């Protein structure tokens, strides 16, 4: 039986210990004790190990993975639908989006290199249906943790936020993989620019230029 492994990471400064990640594995229907860490290199190693084995691996990233590009100049600087006061263009959203791009470009480059050393390519997808049929493929999704969902600013906050996102993902998607309509999406009259595809292209994990317009990234909201 192919094991389903859920990863999530909370984006923050790696220099200041504000990056956190978690791994939850489940091969019996009951979640095992999670593995956690604050070292991004440890996350790369854990992802590579599970992908090499051929597990179904998902990775949630707590940062905007796509942004709107409007047709009209009057719609510039307006965030995504249903973000409320946590717009991807607000100072906090903009900062974490840029940091995510920086860190994920590095991480996917390292992950691709690690897999290629084992004669494997980094296979990834954004659609639940495609992932369900492809062991050894990384499903990438966005975690949107709202103001109330965030833990207090303590030493474990970033790991705990990542754990909250991972558990929410498993709750929403683990039982039968139902279709899930994103609450957060691009407004009518705008197209999508996928920041996560920029990171994948940089890391040479992808040559799919069309992916820059991707609009099917799953968003798991944690209120």
């Amino acid at each position: 039986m192919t094991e389903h492994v859920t990863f999530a990471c909370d984006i923050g400064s790696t220099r200041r210990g504000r990056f956190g990640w978690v791994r939850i594995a489940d091969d019996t229907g009951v979640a095992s004790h999670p593995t956690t860490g604050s070292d991004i290199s440890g996350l790369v190693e854990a992802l590579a190990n599970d992908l090499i084995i051929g597990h179904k691996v998902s990775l949630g990233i707590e940062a905007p993975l796509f942004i709107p590009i409007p047709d009209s100049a009057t719609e510039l600087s307006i965030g995504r639908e249903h973000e409320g006061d946590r717009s991807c263009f607000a100072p906090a959203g903009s900062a974490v989006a840029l940091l995510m791009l920086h860190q994920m470009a590095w991480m996917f480059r390292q992950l691709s290199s690690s897999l290629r050393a084992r004669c494997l390519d980094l296979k990834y997808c954004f659609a639940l249906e495609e992932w369900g049929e492809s062991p050894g493929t990384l499903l990438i999704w966005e975690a949107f943790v709202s103001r109330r969902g965030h833990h207090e600013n303590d030493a474990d906050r970033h790991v705990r936020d990542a754990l909250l996102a991972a558990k929410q993902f498993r709750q929403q998607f683990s039982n039968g993989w139902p279709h899930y309509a994103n609450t957060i999406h691009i407004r009518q009259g705008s197209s999508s620019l996928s920041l996560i595809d920029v990171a994948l292209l940089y890391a040479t994990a992808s040559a799919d230029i069309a992916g820059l317009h991707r609009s099917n990234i799953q968003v798991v909201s944690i209120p």
Side-chain angles (χ1 to χ4, degrees):
M1 179 178 178
T2 301
E3 187 169 1
H4 163 211
V5 184
T6 305
F7 286 86
C9 62
D10 188 56
I11 298 298
S13 172
T14 52
R15 294 188 65 187
R16 298 184 178 183
R18 295 175 181 171
F19 181 93
W21 63 270
V22 63
R23 174 189 183 272
I24 301 177
D26 187 353
D27 58 0
T28 63
V30 178
S32 62
H33 293 294
T35 300
T36 64
S38 58
D39 182 0
I40 194 170
S41 296
L43 174 57
V44 173
E45 181 179 357
L47 283 166
N49 289 341
D50 281 313
L51 291 169
I52 288 168
I53 292 170
H55 290 159
K56 288 201 308 181
V57 184
S58 64
L59 172 64
I61 304 167
E62 211 280 287
L65 301 189
F66 60 98
I67 59 173
I69 307 296
D71 294 334
S72 170
T74 60
E75 299 296 313
L76 286 169
S77 304
I78 297 177
R80 303 175 298 182
E81 193 75 47
H82 300 306
E83 287 184 313
D85 63 354
R86 295 194 64 229
S87 168
C88 59
F89 296 129
S94 298
V96 77
L98 181 58
L99 193 54
M100 178 280 300
L101 181 58
H102 168 65
Q103 292 174 347
M104 293 301 105
W106 179 89
M107 194 187 81
F108 287 133
R109 185 179 65 186
Q110 299 299 113
L111 182 58
S112 294
S113 177
S114 180
L115 293 174
R116 286 170 185 160
R118 300 291 295 270
C119 299
L120 297 171
D121 291 324
L122 174 58
K123 298 186 294 181
Y124 66 90
C125 65
F126 296 88
L128 291 168
E129 296 79 8
E130 181 181 350
W131 181 59
E133 301 298 325
S134 303
T137 297
L138 179 67
L139 171 69
I140 301 170
W141 49 279
E142 177 182 329
F144 186 88
V145 183
S146 75
R147 194 180 308 278
R148 287 180 300 167
H150 278 297
H151 286 92
E152 294 298 324
N153 191 16
D154 56 34
D156 296 326
R157 169 195 158 184
H158 299 282
V159 167
R160 291 164 64 194
D161 282 352
L163 180 59
L164 181 64
K167 287 182 175 179
Q168 184 77 358
F169 175 88
R170 294 179 74 86
Q171 179 180 339
Q172 291 187 357
F173 297 116
S174 289
N175 297 321
W177 312 109
H179 175 72
Y180 181 74
N182 287 340
T183 301
I184 296 170
H185 56 268
I186 298 298
R187 298 172 186 272
Q188 187 174 4
S190 294
S191 58
S192 177
L193 170 59
S194 172
L195 301 180
I196 197 65
D197 275 277
V198 173
L200 289 161
L201 284 164
Y202 172 84
T204 67
S206 170
D208 181 18
I209 299 297
L212 294 175
H213 302 277
R214 191 182 307 280
S215 60
N216 67 331
I217 297 174
Q218 297 290 336
V219 180
V220 176
S221 297
I222 298 92

